[in-house]
Amino acid sequence: MTAFRSSSPTSLSRPMTDPFGRTISYLRVSVTDRCDLRCFYCMSEDMTFLPKADLLTLEELDRLCSAFIARGVRKLRLTGGEPLVRRNVMSLVRSLSRHLETGALNELTLTTNGSQLARFADELRDCGVRRINVSLDTLDAAKFRAITRWGDLDKVLAGIEAARAAGLAVKINAVALKGMNEEEIPSLMEWAHGKGMGLTLIEIMPMGDIGAGRIDQYVPLSLVRARLAKQYTLTDLEETTGGPARYVRVDETGGKLGFITPMTHNFCESCNRVRITCTGTLHTCLGHEDASDLRKPLRASADNELLSAAIDRAIGLKPKGHDFIIDRRHNRPSVNRHMSVTGG
């Protein structure tokens, strides 16, 4: 894959600052809406995926990411769907790694379900990726199959071990699910910390086709933390990795535990993130239906002036905070799009 070189190097040099004075330095890019699992909180079982013609090419994704890096993005996370199922995705990762070499980018990373890590862990390390997030909600094979609808837990665990063997730092992301994995959280934490991996817990978000059972699976992390505090010593940490998580140190394990709480605590005051879908749609907030088309200006001109203007308009509309609610009366999501389309 040929790395993109801007024909207008000064056109995208201005930093991106939203109406509330927050500088945008973190970009999450979905490279595909496809996935080899069907986690019920992320997508429906009978998903209709986008036509491949609607997706940005790898070259277009490279150009778009590079444009944002030129505007001050310092952290770039590739997501999906499952990013590693996109054909030739490693050519994109390798091309984007040039920004690490120049110092324009501080970190290139990805979020994955772990199913393809055994194939790609070494190459990811060679491309400058130093840490990854792996989505894993349970260590129980039967529960894992129920959550993912047909996933193979052993394959994911082998992928995690391959990543660790390659020298990648691994953080586990787990969605807290009432009546399904909430009682397993202490053992999941001890397993992760025992292997030198962090664990971040995430509240289920009302996005996409939630169904009647989906609402009942919501458990506030304030309750989870209170339960953990009865068994462990939790010390609040000031550190951040650039995302929405708030961290504690667990004295008994020596590990780090994160909490992402879009429902019980609005973490928007310091939001420095925007998301781009695999079709080139920019979402400045996960919890809003806002959408700005970057594919059209990207394809309309070989230089980046139209793209720059579209980015400025979108950032200028970034809201102060999200509006996630659990709507029990009408059993409907706060946001209609699936998480797999937006990018995790």
Side-chain angles (χ1 to χ4, degrees):
M1 179 176 142
T2 303
F4 168 71
R5 296 292 185 268
S6 173
S7 59
S8 181
T10 62
S11 63
L12 288 176
S13 58
R14 299 183 304 278
M16 298 175 291
T17 304
D18 74 8
F20 305 96
R22 298 170 297 194
T23 299
I24 307 304
S25 59
Y26 182 5
L27 177 65
R28 302 172 69 104
V29 179
S30 172
V31 300
T32 180
D33 64 325
R34 287 167 167 76
C35 187
D36 50 353
L37 302 180
R38 294 291 183 275
C39 298
F40 62 77
Y41 54 76
C42 185
M43 59 177 68
S44 62
E45 186 170 6
D46 56 347
M47 281 292 292
T48 299
F49 293 112
L50 297 167
K52 291 185 178 180
D54 289 354
L55 272 60
L56 296 181
T57 66
L58 295 178
E59 288 78 12
E60 288 172 331
L61 285 167
D62 184 283
R63 179 182 168 191
L64 197 52
C65 291
S66 298
F68 274 85
I69 293 168
R71 292 290 296 271
V73 161
R74 304 293 294 176
K75 179 177 179 179
L76 175 60
R77 179 178 297 278
L78 302 182
T79 69
E82 168 49 46
L84 295 179
V85 301
R86 171 131 191 199
R87 186 177 181 182
N88 295 327
V89 69
M90 289 309 303
S91 65
L92 173 64
V93 178
R94 189 166 297 280
S95 181
L96 290 171
S97 70
R98 72 188 185 277
H99 298 296
L100 294 171
E101 296 170 0
T102 65
L105 192 64
N106 290 343
E107 183 176 25
L108 175 61
T109 185
L110 77 156
T111 295
T112 172
N113 64 28
S115 65
Q116 306 298 316
L117 275 177
R119 295 172 55 201
F120 294 114
D122 288 332
E123 191 173 359
L124 286 168
R125 173 73 186 189
D126 290 344
C127 290
V129 175
R130 294 295 176 260
R131 64 186 185 96
I132 59 173
N133 291 352
V134 177
S135 301
L136 178 63
D137 304 319
T138 179
L139 294 174
D140 182 290
K143 288 181 181 179
F144 183 80
R145 182 167 290 273
I147 292 171
T148 63
R149 295 192 172 103
W150 58 58
D152 182 346
L153 177 62
D154 288 340
K155 187 176 182 181
V156 172
L157 295 179
I160 290 172
E161 291 308 311
R164 296 177 64 230
L168 298 175
V170 178
K171 179 169 72 69
I172 303 298
N173 287 343
V175 177
L177 302 166
K178 186 176 182 179
M180 182 163 281
N181 72 346
E182 58 179 329
E183 299 302 324
E184 190 186 348
I185 288 174
S187 59
L188 183 63
M189 179 184 72
E190 292 187 1
W191 168 79
H193 290 177
K195 292 181 175 292
M197 302 184 296
L199 172 67
T200 292
L201 303 175
I202 306 171
E203 286 178 336
I204 197 165
M205 301 181 203
M207 296 181 68
D209 179 18
I210 59 175
R214 173 77 171 275
I215 291 175
D216 294 334
Q217 285 156 347
Y218 164 69
V219 56
L221 288 187
S222 55
L223 177 61
V224 173
R225 175 167 176 162
R227 290 172 179 167
L228 289 171
K230 294 179 180 179
Q231 186 175 352
Y232 303 94
T233 305
L234 310 180
T235 304
D236 288 308
L237 300 174
E238 294 296 326
E239 65 186 272
T240 177
T241 59
R246 300 295 181 265
Y247 293 97
V248 299
R249 176 70 61 185
V250 183
D251 289 358
E252 288 78 3
T253 65
K256 191 164 65 172
L257 177 65
F259 298 90
I260 296 181
T261 54
M263 305 302 298
T264 57
H265 171 67
N266 187 302
F267 47 68
C268 306
E269 64 276 359
S270 60
C271 181
N272 63 343
R273 301 170 298 285
V274 294
R275 288 171 167 82
I276 296 176
T277 72
C278 52
T279 61
T281 300
L282 175 66
H283 296 288
T284 60
C285 178
L286 185 61
H288 276 260
E289 292 283 12
D290 73 308
S292 300
D293 179 16
L294 299 185
R295 183 176 60 183
K296 184 175 180 180
L298 184 72
R299 292 178 174 177
S301 175
D303 65 40
N304 287 329
E305 295 307 318
L306 293 176
L307 178 60
S308 177
I311 291 172
D312 286 338
R313 285 193 297 270
I315 299 301
L317 296 173
K318 183 173 172 65
K320 187 174 183 178
H322 63 67
D323 297 322
F324 278 137
I325 59 170
I326 290 288
D327 190 340
R328 295 184 182 275
R329 289 182 305 159
H330 300 100
N331 188 34
R332 65 190 181 197
S334 291
V335 177
N336 287 320
R337 63 183 184 270
H338 288 281
M339 179 64 101
S340 61
V341 174
T342 307

